[in-house]
Amino acid sequence: QSVLTQPPSVSAAPGQKVTISCSGSSSNIGNTYVSWYQHLPGTAPKLLIYDNNKRPSGIPDRFSGSKSGTSATLDIAGLQTGDEADYYCGTWDTSLIAGVFGGGTKLTVL
Amino acid sequence: QVQLVQSGAAVKKPGASVKVSCKASGYIFTNYDVHWVRQATGQGLEWMGWMNPNSENTGYAQNFQGRVTMTRDTSISTAYMELSGLRSEDTAVYYCARGGFWGGSGYHFYMDVWGKGTTVTVSS
């Protein structure tokens, strides 16, 4: 059971927009910064968003992140078939004094 | 370019230990924390712990307390993760990753550079 809760799966058509949620608590998301990762099978995870809403260089602006209270969201606009992957949120938990990840969300681009 | 190169796959018997290495290049090794994350087959990402290569301060996830040790050799810009008392449930891909820092308002948790992963198989 993950400390952060994500929907197991989301789907949308190419060109559409999808939102992936990440729900936590006051000891993690509510108190610190959220990051988001894209993970394709057999490859290393890739950082998409850090510090709630910042994109590393090279990440297209189709990917955006936000945080409100104890929840965070990742929006992916203009979906492409290459976006099919597992997506994870991550943050620091000040009670556990540890990093934590959500359980992951599998994105299917129909 | 900035990269983390991990050691090769390992097969271990239950009860044994495994030590995975992670060699950094293209940046100043001691300027960034190193995290270790694993993924068992069919499971999600699991954070194992972190180390500050400069101070050698470490922090471990509760699930691994007493079984994991993270160290480094700054002379060769390499971080190590040793996991003892291996059991079949430890069969997974283990990643090292760079990133994160302590800021004025807490820990900025993110990993921007990842190794390709090391497969550890625990089997009798």
Side-chain angles (χ1 to χ4, degrees), chain A residues 1-10 19-24 29 34-39 48 70-74 76 85-91 100-107, chain B residues 44-45:
Chain A
Q1 202 104 7
S2 302
V3 171
L4 305 179
T5 302
Q6 297 181 233
S9 63
V10 296
T19 296
I20 298 173
S21 61
C22 176
S23 177
I29 292 178
V34 178
S35 51
W36 288 91
Y37 305 85
Q38 179 190 63
H39 194 199
L48 296 175
T70 59
S71 292
T73 58
L74 173 70
I76 309 173
D86 296 319
Y87 291 83
Y88 294 88
C89 58
T91 190
V100 290
F101 287 105
T105 298
K106 182 174 182 60
L107 169 63
Chain B
L45 300 179

Side-chain angles (χ1 to χ4, degrees), chain A residues 14 17 33 39 41 44 53 56 59 61 68 77-78 85-86 88 90 94 100:
Chain A
K17 175 183 168 181
Y33 302 93
H39 194 199
N53 55 18
I59 300 300
D61 60 6
S68 178
D86 296 319
Y88 294 88
T94 56
V100 290

Side-chain angles (χ1 to χ4, degrees), chain A residues 31-35 37 39 42-47 49-51 86 88 90-92 96-103, chain B residues 35 37 39 43-47 50 59-62 95 101-102 105-117:
Chain A
N31 202 16
T32 184
Y33 302 93
V34 178
S35 51
Y37 305 85
H39 194 199
T43 69
K46 180 180 183 180
L47 176 67
I49 298 290
Y50 68 100
D51 285 359
D86 296 319
Y88 294 88
T91 190
W92 188 256
L96 298 173
I97 314 178
V100 290
F101 287 105
Chain B
H35 295 258
V37 176
Q39 184 180 39
Q43 304 296 310
L45 300 179
E46 181 177 22
W47 184 81
W50 68 278
Y60 304 136
Q62 201 163 8
Y95 295 98
F101 66 93
W102 288 100
S105 50
Y107 193 71
H108 294 249
F109 180 85
Y110 65 88
M111 285 149 261
D112 64 345
V113 179
W114 293 68
K116 292 188 175 182

